[in-house]
């Protein structure tokens, strides 16, 4: 067998600089959102997250992202009505979910499996309608699957409720109060878009081949499912539960840091100051956890946060470790009655509006996304027959 020779240097790439993980590479221009990790700033379609998230409805935020301008009252009413009318799942999707529930698959797997069937009864040539159907139906999939896996019948969607109110209704079978609906609305708006994160990039890569919106959303769900992206807000909440009382906070956190463990819900690759989404979600939780045991949990979480920040400063000086979005996501969604396993699928329901907006933007560029790789394997020369 011929001795392998080192790979030839690439001659075709205009720039052969390799950036692992594409870090620092600007791969798209967007009007959808801007993340400034040094200033702790997140702008969504021209509005600070602190402004848009607690004040807009999810339908309003989605319309703004998809159309680049705010909807008039009439446009918003028509858009909301159309989405509401698309919520019911194709029969085949429900049958599929029943089969998946028998296998007890995780909710994110069920969402990935079912998402590809959501355009079954929609004209594929009408990608605008496919987009709306996807956005309207993802929460129906999550809620229906959750109930099926728990041995309950799915609750049919109601067209007279808003997107957020209907999601909570389909999960529980009861109409949520106005504060809970506002909490869900604020959550979905807060995470609706966040620059060129992994799932958004995946969606843009798929749609850039002039594939279709369903494929792009299924691919994005696949990317979000990974623990490095969809995150694990669950452990942040579990930590607060394990701590249990204010007196236990410092010894618990100190022991964790002494063992070299990480405090969940703190630190971020991009944000080196407080994640603005943590602020928005913290305020939403504050408004929702008004009395009794719920208020006690909120106050304990605030206390744990302050202790954790002080200890992180002591143990990791100069690292600027601040509260991230996961900490208050966990608290808020728990307060809305959602179990931990529903956190990432709920994130997907909100982020889907951003994925679709990015796909629309990418399609408008008409440009295929096709980076290069650098070959680092051997070069064997002649193909010798195996002896
Ligand atoms: N608790 C304790 N120490 C932490 C920490 C945390 N949450 N996050 C980072 N650090 C420490 C690291 O141990 C490291 O210390 P060292 O230099 O003494 O070894 C230093 O801070 C830098 O860590 P690094 O891994 O380079 O930071 P990063 O920017 O790559 O990490 C995260 C970002 C999010 C992965 C990290 O902060 C983390 O693991 N946080 C906890 C998990 C979490 O909340 N994830 C959700 C993110 S939205």
């Amino acid at each position: 067998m011929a001795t392998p020779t080192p790979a030839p240097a690439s001659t075709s790439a205009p720039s052969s600089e390799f950036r692992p993980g594409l870090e620092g590479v600007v791969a798209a221009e967007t009007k959808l959102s801007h993340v400034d990790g040094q200033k702790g700033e997140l702008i969504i379609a021209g509005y600070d997250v602190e402004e848009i998230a607690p004040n807009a409805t999810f339908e309003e935020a989605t319309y703004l992202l998809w159309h680049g301008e705010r909807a008039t009252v009439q446009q918003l009413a028509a858009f909301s009505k159309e989405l509401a009318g698309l919520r019911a799942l194709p029969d085949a999707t429900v049958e599929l979910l029943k089969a998946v529930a028998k296998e007890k698959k995780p909710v994110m797997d069920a969402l990935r499996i079912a998402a590809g069937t959501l355009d079954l009864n929609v004209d594929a040539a009408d990608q605008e309608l496919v987009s709306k159907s996807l956005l309207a139906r993802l929460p129906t999939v999550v809620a229906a699957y959750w109930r099926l896996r728990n041995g309950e019948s799915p609750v049919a969607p109601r067209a007279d409720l808003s997107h957020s109110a209907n999601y909570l209704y389909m999960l529980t079978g009861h109409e949520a109060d106005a504060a809970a609906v506002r909490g869900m609305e604020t959550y979905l708006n807060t995470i609706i878009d966040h620059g060129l994160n992994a799932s958004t990039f995946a969606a843009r890569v798929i749609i850039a081949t002039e594939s279709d919106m369903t494929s792009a959303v299924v691919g994005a769900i696949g990317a979000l499912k990974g623990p490095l992206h969809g995150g694990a807000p669950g452990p942040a909440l579990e930590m607060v539960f394990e701590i249990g009382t204010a007196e236990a906070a410092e010894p618990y956190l100190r022991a964790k840091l002494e063992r070299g463990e990480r405090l969940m819900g703190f630190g971020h690759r991009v944000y080196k100051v407080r994640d603005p989404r943590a602020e928005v979600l913290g305020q939403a939780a504050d408004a929702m956890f008004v009395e009794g045991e719920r208020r006690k949990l909120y106050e304990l979480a605030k206390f744990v946060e302050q202790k954790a920040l002080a200890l992180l400063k002591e143990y990791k000086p100069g690292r600027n470790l601040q509260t991230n979005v996961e900490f208050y996501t966990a608290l808020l969604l728990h307060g809305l009655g959602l179990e931990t396993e529903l956190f990432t699928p709920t994130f997907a329901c909100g982020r889907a509006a951003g994925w679709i907006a990015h796909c629309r933007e990418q399609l408008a560029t008409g440009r295929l996304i096709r980076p290069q790789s650098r070959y680092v394997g051997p070069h064997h020369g002649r193909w010798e027959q195996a002896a």
Side-chain angles (χ1 to χ4, degrees), residues 262-263 265-267 269 272 312 316 319 321 324 326:
R262 294 188 176 208
L263 304 184
F266 298 88
R269 177 62 57 82
K272 295 306 167 197
L312 284 169
K316 301 284 171 187
R319 292 292 188 190
L321 297 170
N324 65 42
E326 307 282 9

Side-chain angles (χ1 to χ4, degrees), residues 315-382:
Y315 281 82
K316 301 284 171 187
R319 292 292 188 190
N320 290 329
L321 297 170
Q322 302 289 333
T323 317
N324 65 42
V325 68
E326 307 282 9
F327 191 80
Y328 282 105
T329 288
L331 193 65
L332 183 62
L333 294 185
H334 170 77
L336 289 171
L338 269 62
E339 287 188 36
T340 313
E341 204 196 327
L342 285 170
F343 292 178
T344 308
T346 303
F347 183 104
C349 291
R351 182 59 61 84
W355 293 332
I356 293 168
H358 274 269
C359 287
R360 295 164 74 103
E361 196 174 63
Q362 182 63 40
L363 275 176
T365 71
R367 191 84 184 148
L368 178 73
I369 299 174
R370 178 34 172 116
Q372 303 235 5
S373 54
R374 185 196 294 166
Y375 181 63
V376 293
H379 185 199
H380 291 293
R382 280 177 60 85

Side-chain angles (χ1 to χ4, degrees), residues 144-165:
Y145 183 71
W146 182 251
R147 294 182 66 90
L148 285 168
R149 215 187 56 183
N150 289 336
E152 296 170 318
S153 300
V155 169
R158 268 177 49 187
D160 61 319
L161 297 175
S162 71
H163 190 83
S164 302

Side-chain angles (χ1 to χ4, degrees), residues 143-229:
Y145 183 71
W146 182 251
R147 294 182 66 90
L148 285 168
R149 215 187 56 183
N150 289 336
E152 296 170 318
S153 300
V155 169
R158 268 177 49 187
D160 61 319
L161 297 175
S162 71
H163 190 83
S164 302
N166 177 60
Y167 179 42
L168 290 170
Y169 169 71
M170 290 188 301
L171 278 171
T172 62
H174 307 291
E175 247 186 86
D177 63 27
V181 174
R182 183 62 257 174
M184 177 57 77
E185 204 107 70
T186 299
Y187 171 70
L188 294 176
N189 289 345
T190 301
I191 54 85
I192 197 166
D193 202 48
H194 202 239
L196 204 56
N197 58 86
S199 57
T200 299
F201 186 52
R204 286 188 82 127
V205 169
I206 293 169
I207 207 74
T209 68
E210 296 187 0
S211 175
D212 62 284
M213 208 55 91
T214 307
S215 301
V217 168
V218 172
I221 291 171
L224 182 69
K225 198 184 137 208
L228 292 189
H229 180 16

Side-chain angles (χ1 to χ4, degrees), residues 10-289:
S10 168
T11 49
S12 59
S15 157
S16 54
E17 189 190 349
F18 170 46
R19 300 275 189 92
L22 300 186
E23 215 164 304
V25 173
V26 176
E29 282 191 322
T30 183
K31 290 182 176 167
L32 299 170
S33 62
H34 172 66
V35 185
D36 187 328
Q38 299 300 325
K39 285 200 219 151
E41 190 176 78
L42 169 60
I43 299 171
I44 296 174
Y47 292 88
D48 289 333
V49 67
E50 294 88 343
E51 278 299 312
I52 189 170
N55 294 312
T57 62
F58 180 67
E59 286 88 335
E60 271 184 299
T62 300
Y63 188 98
L64 174 62
L65 280 177
W66 289 12
H67 298 277
E69 56 186 18
R70 294 212 25 204
T72 63
V73 174
Q74 290 84 352
Q75 284 166 335
L76 183 62
F79 183 64
S80 305
K81 191 172 170 206
E82 203 183 349
L83 285 180
L86 291 167
R87 286 176 187 151
L89 301 179
D91 292 342
T93 306
V94 178
E95 290 310 309
L96 184 61
L97 286 175
K98 285 181 185 164
V100 181
K102 279 201 188 121
E103 305 266 330
K104 302 267 177 220
K105 295 269 188 210
V107 186
M108 275 307 278
D109 285 329
L111 188 61
R112 189 243 314 147
I113 291 167
T117 68
L118 294 182
D119 61 359
L120 272 177
N121 55 2
V122 182
D123 177 8
D126 189 347
Q127 285 292 300
E128 187 75 23
L129 185 61
V130 170
S131 303
K132 287 172 185 158
S133 304
L134 283 162
L135 191 76
R137 293 173 181 181
L138 290 175
T140 318
V141 170
V142 176
Y145 183 71
W146 182 251
R147 294 182 66 90
L148 285 168
R149 215 187 56 183
N150 289 336
E152 296 170 318
S153 300
V155 169
R158 268 177 49 187
D160 61 319
L161 297 175
S162 71
H163 190 83
S164 302
N166 177 60
Y167 179 42
L168 290 170
Y169 169 71
M170 290 188 301
L171 278 171
T172 62
H174 307 291
E175 247 186 86
D177 63 27
V181 174
R182 183 62 257 174
M184 177 57 77
E185 204 107 70
T186 299
Y187 171 70
L188 294 176
N189 289 345
T190 301
I191 54 85
I192 197 166
D193 202 48
H194 202 239
L196 204 56
N197 58 86
S199 57
T200 299
F201 186 52
R204 286 188 82 127
V205 169
I206 293 169
I207 207 74
T209 68
E210 296 187 0
S211 175
D212 62 284
M213 208 55 91
T214 307
S215 301
V217 168
V218 172
I221 291 171
L224 182 69
K225 198 184 137 208
L228 292 189
H229 180 16
L237 185 66
E238 276 154 25
M239 188 175 80
V240 176
F241 280 135
E242 269 174 38
I243 289 173
T245 62
E247 303 72 58
E250 182 163 346
Y252 177 100
L253 296 168
R254 210 175 262 288
K256 242 182 171 359
L257 289 168
E258 290 285 346
R259 291 195 297 269
E261 290 176 24
R262 294 188 176 208
L263 304 184
M264 292 297 133
F266 298 88
H268 197 275
R269 177 62 57 82
V270 179
Y271 291 113
K272 295 306 167 197
V273 293
R274 190 175 160 91
D275 183 335
R277 298 169 300 172
E279 193 61 42
V280 173
L281 297 179
Q283 283 176 14
D286 189 7
M288 255 180 49
F289 289 71

